[in-house]
Amino acid sequence: MGRYLALLLALILGSWIAFNDQLLPESAPLSTPATEFSGERAFADVNFLSAVPHPTGSVANANVRDAIVGRMLRLGFSPQVRPGVGVFQSPRAPDAVIAGQIENIVGVLPGRDRSAPALALMAHYDSVPGSPGAADDLMGVAAVLETARAIKARGTPARDVYLLITDGEEAGLLGANAFFRRDPLAERIGLVVNLEARGSAGRVQMFQTSPDNGKLIEVFQRTAQRPASSSLSVLIYDKMPNDTDLTEALKAGKSGLNYAIIGNQFDYHSPTATAANLDRGSLQDMGTQALAVASELAFSQQLPGRAGSAVYSSVFGDLVIAYPVWAGWVLLAAIAFLIALAVRWARHSGEFPAMDIVRGAGALAFAALSTAAVLEFARRLTGAEFGYLEQRFLLAQAQRWEWAIMLISLGVLMGSAGDMARGRRWMAAIPVLFGLACSAFGTFDMVGAVAGVTAGVIGFFVYNRPTSRKGAWAGVLLLGLLLAIVLQIAAPEAAYVIAWPLLVASLGAAATALSARRGVLGLALLTVLAALALGWEGGISHLAFLSMDVMALFSLQMVTAGLVLWPLAQPDTNAEKGLVVGGALLIMGFIITLFVRAEDPWTPRYPRITYVGFQVEADTGRTWRFAPASMDGSWTRQALGGTVQPRGHWSWRVPMLAAPGRPVSVATPATTLEPAADGAMRLTVAPPPGSRRLALQLRADKAARLLAVNGVPTDLALPTDRWVRVFWASPGAPIVMNLQPSAPGRLQVRYAATIDGWPAEAAPLPPRPADIMLWDDSDSTFVTGSHAYAW
């Protein structure tokens, strides 16, 4: 019973530590000293700027631009509006170019040495269509303004501090591209601190750095206040298909740090991303983090140079542990010594079969794979599909779903450890059943099936006889050591995720002779060590929950939790109640999951999304009201009216539900093709009045190349008879493309012009109930058509 109480206490204490580590600071009042960051001062800017959605090219975006310029003037930062053309080509979409006219805002706080490389504080002021963008990224804009104001109050910095407020980030990093590739001021910048958001709440994560970040992390380690960052997050983000404005700065060879809040992601790119829904504690956290590092950099005589990338992570409070990659091997050697010492001392208190070590390692692998299979089943059981829009059902009840994941994961781990005391083979069937049941929801689930069957095979050989706790824990630690070594070789920046909990567990193993020493002191030590490790790991688990809807990620978390919890979770040999704790946690987790499935989460605070558009086919004169099938519902049917049928169109990613609309009169884009210099052809497309976005598709019957967009060099191949895509964001200005054909032939041009608003001549949309909201550029008019040219 004492061991179960210790286990329960470790879980409670670990949860309490993790919870407190995620608490946000209070927003500092307006009366805060001028040299410090005030969340309330910054919030006043957010509240003023985020009145309405303001995508690039809109009148509302121009109003936000003017308001920011006025704010900078009052603060004494001499703002300039610097227009330009941004062009973005992603290696993940080699058949597409995104371009647009943008207007960046640049202010400056002069430093003592105007020739020294400058520090840039960067955020973007545009929003996605349909969202007021209070968090993404007007919170970043407000934090930049307040941070620069506080630096100014501290005295004259050693170097210039630039306030770089970019345009067109949401359209494709266009403002950052225009600045760092073509603005002469970019040559002045030595280091960039970028502020972003994914959601409207949560701790601020410093999630990306420039390469060779060793010196930069030294500054971060020295100055950060209650930071949340790690080399793992930097590594993962580098592999993800995500970009922010810092991407363009890094391409230009600049050093930099990227900060963002991550939490309450229901509000990400949503109409609910209002100032009222922004957590002011998150804004304060953002400003506190930004000011700490920016002030250090601004007043430093030199900016940090490049050095080998560090392995690092925030721990608790202001503590950041960082070391070079080679030190990871020293740490693993120390861990191996502690494990060997623990095993040797454990054998002094009684031998245990070597196969117990093998079975212990197998049990931890069984627990990890079983966690993946059971969580995959639970995710399917919620009824929500995978994808950001599809999982909004879960985002509307995220806290409840996170509790379910945590309880189920711990339940599987506790059960896996608990039955080692008896070793019953039917344990192997549990993950197999859950893994195969993942495919009972309509499609074959490869992750669930593979994880479940593999766990079952391992379990068949592991759970065939009782295993001693000493031997099992030794096997658990050795498997952890093996995994840490693999990570140290393959991804040293991530090895600490296993190595640090393994070090804590190894210290406990050595101190208690692998838990052979009984008594209150031994249990107390194991409980404290487990609680500390779990409290730290809880932050990683929470970030994994927030960042990616991938259940298999929690397998790694159960490996690290198993390292410290195993001696408390596995009872004495032949104990009858080894599955009690695990079974109870598992049942509670699935009860919450069923509540999640049954709940109707849609409320005025968390509305269901809807999307409906009005398409005008210029080639045929026909019009259509359309909506995605995934957003079908009673309001959508009212909005569509008439006879609804599935219909496809080249400008839609997937077939839509569509109904014929009334004829309306709208202007269409004007296109011309004329010769240019050096045998090239100039294709000009002028959007119709009121249009802020053009989506074009080009196809040539002879190979050609797109050489430039509005004078900016590009390199986009037009393979023979294949469509390529060009997107243009601009308030009415034409896009001018220089094309180089390889031989005479024909060019086909398709266009789709987006005009904000529903046509006045069309039947109006029905009012939306309070628990339904529009999404993105819903309720807009889309003018589509085509042209063909000979060249």
Side-chain angles (χ1 to χ4, degrees), residues 265 391 394-395 397-403 405 540-551 553-554:
Q265 293 183 79
Q391 67 163 332
L394 296 177
L395 295 178
Q397 42 187 334
Q399 191 173 46
R400 185 181 297 149
W401 173 228
E402 187 173 11
W403 268 103
I405 290 174
I540 300 176
S541 296
H542 182 61
L543 183 61
F545 171 79
L546 293 174
S547 302
M548 289 171 282
D549 187 23
V550 181
M551 296 297 101
L553 285 176
F554 294 92

Side-chain angles (χ1 to χ4, degrees), residues 376-432:
E376 189 77 3
F377 174 80
R379 178 62 175 79
R380 294 285 185 182
L381 186 61
T382 64
E385 295 297 326
F386 290 86
Y388 175 64
L389 294 183
E390 291 78 6
Q391 67 163 332
R392 292 184 67 79
F393 174 80
L394 296 177
L395 295 178
Q397 42 187 334
Q399 191 173 46
R400 185 181 297 149
W401 173 228
E402 187 173 11
W403 268 103
I405 290 174
M406 182 183 72
L407 291 171
I408 290 171
S409 300
L410 287 173
V412 172
L413 176 62
M414 297 301 100
S416 302
D419 201 62
M420 291 295 285
R422 301 199 66 188
R424 292 168 288 197
R425 269 212 167 107
W426 56 261
M427 279 287 293
I430 295 175
V432 176

Side-chain angles (χ1 to χ4, degrees), residues 461-656:
F461 294 101
V462 168
Y463 294 96
N464 62 352
R465 50 153 288 174
T467 303
S468 67
R469 184 166 54 243
K470 293 186 296 183
W473 194 18
V476 165
L477 296 179
L478 286 172
L479 178 59
L481 180 60
L482 176 62
L483 293 175
I485 291 171
V486 170
L487 279 178
Q488 181 68 23
I489 296 170
E493 300 91 342
Y496 78 93
V497 175
I498 293 179
W500 292 6
L502 182 60
L503 176 63
V504 172
S506 300
L507 287 170
T512 62
L514 226 62
S515 82
R517 293 173 184 166
R518 298 177 179 273
V520 175
L521 289 180
L523 275 181
L525 176 63
L526 293 177
T527 301
V528 170
L529 291 176
L532 289 173
L534 289 177
W536 175 72
E537 292 166 14
I540 300 176
S541 296
H542 182 61
L543 183 61
F545 171 79
L546 293 174
S547 302
M548 289 171 282
D549 187 23
V550 181
M551 296 297 101
L553 285 176
F554 294 92
S555 295
L556 177 61
Q557 296 307 301
M558 289 308 100
V559 169
T560 57
L563 297 173
V564 294
L565 285 176
W566 206 275
L568 301 177
Q570 182 176 337
D572 295 330
T573 304
N574 291 316
E576 293 286 343
K577 299 180 179 179
L579 294 177
V580 171
V581 176
L585 291 173
L586 203 60
I587 290 170
M588 285 191 290
F590 273 106
I591 288 174
I592 295 175
T593 302
L594 292 174
F595 271 111
V596 168
R597 180 185 177 92
E599 181 70 12
D600 181 1
W602 311 121
T603 65
R605 173 61 184 91
Y606 296 105
R608 185 196 302 268
I609 62 174
T610 55
Y611 184 102
V612 63
F614 194 95
Q615 182 191 26
V616 179
E617 288 187 319
D619 293 342
T620 64
R622 302 187 68 183
T623 65
W624 301 88
R625 300 158 79 105
F626 65 91
S630 61
M631 300 183 192
D632 196 7
S634 59
W635 183 88
T636 298
R637 290 289 170 154
Q638 292 180 51
L640 294 178
T643 303
V644 177
Q645 57 187 333
R647 184 173 181 271
H649 190 267
W650 66 264
S651 63
W652 302 336
R653 294 181 182 178
V654 295
M656 299 280 188

Side-chain angles (χ1 to χ4, degrees), residues 27 231 281 296 344-345 371 374 442 486 494 570 614 645 721 756:
S27 182
S231 52
E296 173 74 12
R344 181 175 180 179
W345 285 349
T371 298
V374 177
V486 170
Q570 182 176 337
F614 194 95
Q645 57 187 333
D721 287 329
D756 290 332

Side-chain angles (χ1 to χ4, degrees), residues 122-215:
M122 182 166 65
H124 68 89
Y125 71 92
D126 62 301
S127 74
V128 296
S131 174
D136 183 15
D137 188 28
L138 292 177
M139 180 184 75
V141 171
V144 165
L145 293 171
E146 174 67 3
T147 297
R149 185 209 54 74
I151 292 174
K152 183 179 181 181
R154 295 182 178 190
T156 303
R159 66 195 64 257
D160 288 354
V161 177
Y162 278 86
L163 290 74
L164 175 55
I165 311 299
T166 63
D167 186 14
E169 193 270 355
E170 302 292 2
L173 316 183
L174 301 181
N177 174 271
F179 182 83
F180 288 106
R181 299 297 181 91
R182 287 171 290 283
D183 194 316
L185 284 180
E187 297 179 5
R188 294 276 300 108
I189 306 300
L191 192 145
V192 180
V193 175
N194 188 53
L195 306 182
E196 262 287 359
R198 186 178 178 88
S200 62
R203 289 292 313 279
V204 172
Q205 305 282 335
M206 197 282 284
F207 64 96
Q208 185 185 20
T209 72
S210 46
D212 300 322
N213 63 18
K215 295 295 183 182

